[in-house]
């Protein structure tokens, strides 16, 4: 797959993505980054909006799997509690964790999307395995390193918004 830092779609937040949108893209599996995509780094409590979104996706038959680079138990504990598949230590943007998820779920890359808040891990990883890449705004940039990374991503976000036919905004 060609190296691309440009997401196929951009949403304000995870919960703006609908089953109808995913269906139009022929997506059966949504691979989810955890920290700053689903929950802030500093929290373990999901919002009622996130819980409704998870339930809506499950009811619509969209398979969900958290694919996180984290080594901490936070993501796996959350996933176990809410009945979501989970792969940690994924090493995104490398393909190891994403390919493991695709194999585990029995889904071809073209039928999968990766949703995350980072260009250099989530988008690059998704594009590298041939999945549909969706960028969401980070929930909370709580330290200088996250803010600097976000600034460095701005040129790619600008280009993606400019060229994207599938761009979605709230």
């Amino acid at each position: 797959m060609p190296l691309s830092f440009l997401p196929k779609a951009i949403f304000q937040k995870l919960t703006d993505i609908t089953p109808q949108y995913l269906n139009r893209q022929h997506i059966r599996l949504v691979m989810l980054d955890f920290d700053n995509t689903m929950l802030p780094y500093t929290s373990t409590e999901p919002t009622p909006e996130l819980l409704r979104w998870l339930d809506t996706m499950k009811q619509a038959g969209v398979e969900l799997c958290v694919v996180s680079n984290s080594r901490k138990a936070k993501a796996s504990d959350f996933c176990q509690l809410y009945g979501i598949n989970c792969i940690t230590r994924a090493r995104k943007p490398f393909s190891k964790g994403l390919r493991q998820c695709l194999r585990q779920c029995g889904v071809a890359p073209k039928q999968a999307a990766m949703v995350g808040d980072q260009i250099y891990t989530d988008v690059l990883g998704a594009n590298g395995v041939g999945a549909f890449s969706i960028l969401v705004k980070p929930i909370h940039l709580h330290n200088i390193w996250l803010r600097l990374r976000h600034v460095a991503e701005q040129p790619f976000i600008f280009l993606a918004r400019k060229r994207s036919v599938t761009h979605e905004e709230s």
Side-chain angles (χ1 to χ4, degrees):
M1 297 263 97
L3 181 71
S4 176
F5 293 94
L6 301 182
K8 301 278 189 309
I10 300 173
F11 284 82
Q12 187 67 24
K13 57 188 177 187
L14 173 65
T15 55
D16 290 340
I17 302 168
T18 65
Q20 296 78 14
Y21 176 81
L22 296 170
N23 191 43
R24 286 193 304 273
Q25 306 307 320
H26 309 287
I27 302 298
R28 293 181 28 222
L29 166 67
V30 175
M31 299 180 282
L32 299 159
D33 178 51
F34 190 72
D35 287 316
N36 245 3
T37 298
M38 296 178 71
L39 296 175
Y41 280 105
T42 56
S43 174
T44 57
E45 288 301 313
T47 64
E49 182 181 21
L50 175 62
L51 293 176
R52 280 191 303 275
W53 184 85
L54 293 170
D55 189 49
T56 298
M57 289 295 157
K58 288 178 183 178
Q59 287 183 14
V62 176
E63 191 163 359
L64 302 173
C65 182
V66 167
V67 181
S68 174
N69 285 349
S70 180
R71 298 178 182 283
K72 298 176 184 169
K74 179 180 165 184
S76 54
D77 290 349
F78 177 92
C79 290
Q80 186 173 15
L81 185 61
Y82 293 101
I84 301 168
N85 292 323
C86 183
I87 294 170
T88 57
R89 302 175 188 224
R91 300 191 60 220
K92 297 173 294 185
F94 301 107
S95 64
K96 174 190 171 272
L98 296 168
R99 289 196 187 285
Q100 180 184 347
C101 177
L102 293 167
R103 271 192 314 275
Q104 184 176 306
C105 296
V107 174
K110 66 182 181 183
Q111 295 177 308
M114 174 70 211
V115 181
D117 68 302
Q118 293 186 48
I119 296 266
Y120 303 118
T121 55
D122 306 313
V123 170
L124 186 58
N127 291 343
V129 298
F132 191 86
S133 54
I134 301 174
L135 182 69
V136 295
K137 184 178 176 187
I139 294 172
H140 180 58
L141 299 174
H142 71 281
N143 67 39
I144 188 66
W145 305 115
L146 292 175
R147 287 188 207 110
L148 288 172
R149 186 212 69 228
H150 188 65
V151 168
E153 293 175 339
Q154 290 308 303
F156 299 112
I157 294 169
F158 174 79
L159 288 171
R161 284 191 171 134
K162 199 168 172 148
R163 67 117 222 211
S164 181
V165 176
T166 61
H167 176 245
E168 302 282 325
E169 251 187 67
S170 295

